[in-house]
Amino acid sequence: MNGALELISLFDLPRGHEGTVSSGDLAAADDAARELALRLYEIGFVDGERVRVVARGFPGGEPIAVRVGGTIFALRRFEAERVLVAPLRNGRAKS
């Protein structure tokens, strides 16, 4: 078994599924990308935090509503694509 985690963007995590946030490498990012990453970090998207996709807008799936801790945030696609997550093995969150 390979110990590497499969990382996907939060936007690609299906509705009702959970994942764990994985911090990305910001060293090569430009100023705008670093600023967005900092804002996401400040509202709770930190390494190891569990997240759950609770709803998606229609059409196109945006905005995306995500539960982080006890709070639900609405993110635009470009914001959700910046957050990397490792999907949980069982996939679906407990309701």
Side-chain angles (χ1 to χ4, degrees), residues 15-70:
R15 183 177 165 268
H17 286 234
E18 291 185 335
T20 304
V21 175
S22 175
S23 59
D25 180 18
L26 296 177
D30 63 20
D31 288 342
R34 277 194 296 273
E35 184 177 319
L36 175 58
L38 179 58
R39 281 192 326 202
L40 291 167
Y41 178 83
E42 288 172 341
I43 63 173
F45 292 92
V46 297
D47 193 41
E49 187 67 38
R50 208 163 169 171
V51 296
R52 176 182 177 206
V53 176
V54 295
R56 291 181 173 275
F58 182 80
E62 98 173 292
I64 179 175
V66 182
R67 179 179 299 276
V68 179

Side-chain angles (χ1 to χ4, degrees), residues 1-7 22 86 89:
M1 176 189 265
N2 187 344
L5 294 175
E6 172 200 357
L7 296 178
S22 175
R89 278 190 180 279

